[in-house]
Amino acid sequence: MAPSIKNIIRRPELTSALGAILIFTLFLVVAPAFRSLDAFATVLYASSTIGIIALAVGLLMIGDEFDLSSGVAVTTAALAATMLNYNLWLNSWAGVFISLFISLAIGAFNGFMVMRTGIPSFLITLATFLMLQGINLAVTKMVTGQVATPSISDMEGFGSAEAVFASSVNIFGVDVRVTVFWWLLFVALGSWLLYKTRFGNWIFAVGGDAEAARAVGVPVRRVKIILFMFVAFAAWFVGMHNLFAFDSIQAGQGVGNEFLYIIAAVIGGCALTGGRGTAIGTAIGALIFGMTNQGIVYAGWNPDWFKFFLGVMLLFAVISNNSFSRLMGARS
């Protein structure tokens, strides 16, 4: 077998790529509306808002950690920005950057607590999830008297922030949301980070065997804290998109999305045990999510089937990942 073919077979995202092709073909056949460029732009948009965070979550999983607070962290970032802007009459960009600082602090807190206490990240970030969910609801009700934030579209700087986080680009008559381009850029940067930098080698090393990595001089604590901050940054970015796309934020939204990010990463080939995965794989996993989510609608099926298909894909991905690991182990 040619070396190039062997390299393709060994790629952890191969199974998800084949699955994406099958799902794309399925909805092309059963949903005529799915064949339009507008529909594909909608699929890409749905995929991008999941994929941006799934990328960061995937990097964290390669480093053998989880973050269950990412879903509500999106809402926390948006709420922080909008309430600071509205109540202090700040420029929209001031709220954006203060919100970024808050988000990164949350990520650093998660990473520090995991490394300092030795408690599994599943439990630490579950605690953060509950704390953020409570803060989102309690502070929003205390400040606004309701669970939704007021409009900030008349604030200075809103238009330019909207252009960065929530605008659309017209390509051949089709409006493509700017998050799609940001998503592709982040995936490219993630791939470069993993395979072209020393930090990328460190991520695989700490995910494969943290003690062995520490023994050869890898700064395990620093790497993992930075990975948690990557997730926080991604949550902040999507939070800013939600804020400037919809202008008002519901304090209770985001709950449950953390599982979608993890599922997209796993479907894309990220191992639950760490040490394996790719940035492109997380993008494929998010694309599968977007195609399934929108394809069911375009096909006229009951939307309740979406969670069923998501569960089937997750189960298939886990079985495929385990088979792949055994195959690679046997060959090595």
Side-chain angles (χ1 to χ4, degrees):
M1 186 179 293
S4 59
I5 297 177
K6 288 183 179 180
N7 291 334
I8 293 174
I9 293 175
R10 290 174 180 174
R11 297 288 295 183
E13 70 271 31
L14 174 62
T15 303
S16 60
L18 295 176
I21 293 172
L22 290 175
I23 292 172
F24 180 72
T25 303
L26 169 66
F27 287 117
L28 279 180
V29 173
V30 303
F34 189 79
R35 303 165 193 166
S36 70
L37 291 178
D38 287 325
F40 191 63
T42 302
V43 167
L44 288 177
Y45 172 54
S47 302
S48 68
T49 54
I50 294 294
I52 289 172
I53 304 182
L55 169 63
V57 168
L59 296 179
L60 182 64
M61 289 176 65
I62 295 172
D64 197 24
E65 301 293 350
F66 294 91
D67 191 343
L68 295 183
S69 67
S70 55
V72 292
V74 172
T75 305
T76 300
L79 288 173
T82 187
M83 286 195 286
L84 285 168
N85 287 343
Y86 184 82
N87 290 283
L88 300 181
W89 282 91
L90 300 175
N91 183 289
S92 292
W93 283 104
V96 166
F97 287 115
I98 294 173
S99 174
L100 174 60
F101 175 80
I102 293 172
S103 295
L104 293 178
I106 293 171
F109 170 79
N110 282 337
F112 174 79
M113 290 299 294
V114 169
M115 299 308 299
R116 183 69 178 83
T117 65
I119 297 173
S121 55
F122 175 89
L123 294 175
I124 293 292
T125 57
L126 177 60
T128 305
F129 161 83
L130 295 171
M131 289 188 289
L132 292 180
Q133 186 180 11
I135 289 173
N136 290 349
L137 290 167
V139 174
T140 303
K141 288 181 180 179
M142 180 176 65
V143 174
T144 68
Q146 54 186 355
V147 295
T149 60
S151 171
I152 61 167
S153 59
D154 58 342
M155 296 289 186
E156 184 178 357
F158 184 92
S160 58
E162 182 183 27
V164 171
F165 295 106
S167 61
S168 297
V169 178
N170 190 278
I171 301 177
F172 302 116
V174 178
D175 287 331
V176 181
R177 300 300 291 265
V178 71
T179 52
V180 174
F181 301 103
W182 281 115
W183 174 40
L184 297 177
L185 174 62
F186 290 149
V187 169
L189 290 174
S191 295
W192 172 80
L193 178 71
L194 279 176
Y195 294 106
K196 298 296 183 180
T197 69
R198 182 171 62 173
F199 188 81
N201 292 332
W202 287 351
I203 294 174
F204 284 111
V206 300
D209 188 334
E211 291 307 317
R214 186 178 285 110
V216 297
V218 175
V220 174
R221 172 177 295 194
R222 188 200 317 167
V223 170
K224 293 203 175 190
I225 290 176
I226 290 174
L227 289 175
F228 276 105
M229 293 177 73
F230 280 173
V231 176
F233 172 83
W236 164 80
F237 192 93
V238 175
M240 294 306 96
H241 165 71
N242 291 344
L243 172 60
F244 293 105
F246 306 110
D247 192 22
S248 180
I249 300 297
Q250 295 287 332
Q253 70 187 50
V255 177
N257 285 352
E258 58 278 350
F259 294 110
L260 298 180
Y261 309 140
I262 293 173
I263 289 169
V266 172
I267 290 175
C270 292
L272 293 170
T273 53
R276 187 166 61 85
T278 65
I280 294 176
T282 67
I284 296 173
L287 182 61
I288 288 175
F289 169 89
M291 287 193 296
T292 306
N293 188 28
Q294 299 301 315
I296 287 175
V297 174
Y298 289 129
W301 298 348
N302 188 331
D304 293 335
W305 283 106
F306 170 69
K307 292 293 178 67
F308 171 80
F309 282 109
L310 202 60
V312 170
M313 288 185 292
L314 176 61
L315 181 61
F316 179 73
V318 171
I319 294 173
S320 299
N321 289 345
N322 287 342
S323 300
F324 182 87
S325 297
R326 288 195 298 268
L327 177 62
M328 291 298 102
R331 289 188 174 182
S332 61

